[in-house]
Amino acid sequence: MGRTLLRRLGVGTTIGMAIATMLFSTLIWLGYSDAQTTGQPVTFAGIDIYRIADGYGIPNHTNMTWLGIVITGSWIVLVEMLRSIRGRRRLKTTG
């Protein structure tokens, strides 16, 4: 693999992890008061990511890790697909 590809993958991974972190932080922020009053966990796509028990917030690290991996991987695939499509269009217009 070339340096350019490795650099793109590194940047894509960093951006994907930042997106996942911001998403989970926002979901927990929005669902905290509801979870505190009803006792229902905060979920993303039906998967528990945070719950409150005995007045303490308990994150579900395993679920957040796997969801973060899926979000990061999806981001990388999406960006590379868009880059590929853009590259093909550029070749058609110049050739």
Side-chain angles (χ1 to χ4, degrees), residues 4-89:
T4 305
L5 178 61
L6 289 176
R7 189 174 299 132
R8 279 197 331 256
L9 290 176
V11 170
T13 301
T14 303
I15 292 171
M17 288 189 310
I19 290 170
T21 302
M22 287 187 300
L23 176 68
F24 294 145
S25 297
T26 303
L27 288 173
I28 291 170
W29 178 66
L30 291 173
Y32 185 83
S33 63
D34 192 41
Q36 200 171 25
T37 57
T38 64
Q40 296 294 319
V42 177
T43 62
F44 175 70
I47 300 171
D48 298 345
I49 59 170
Y50 191 82
R51 65 184 171 90
I52 296 178
D54 299 326
Y56 295 102
I58 304 167
N60 189 330
H61 297 291
T62 305
N63 288 348
M64 281 196 281
T65 299
W66 285 110
L67 287 170
I69 289 169
V70 168
I71 291 168
T72 301
S74 299
W75 173 257
I76 291 171
V77 168
L78 176 69
V79 168
E80 290 299 317
M81 282 176 40
L82 291 175
R83 189 177 189 302
S84 174
I85 291 169
R86 196 173 110 201
R88 278 192 231 136
R89 282 187 188 159

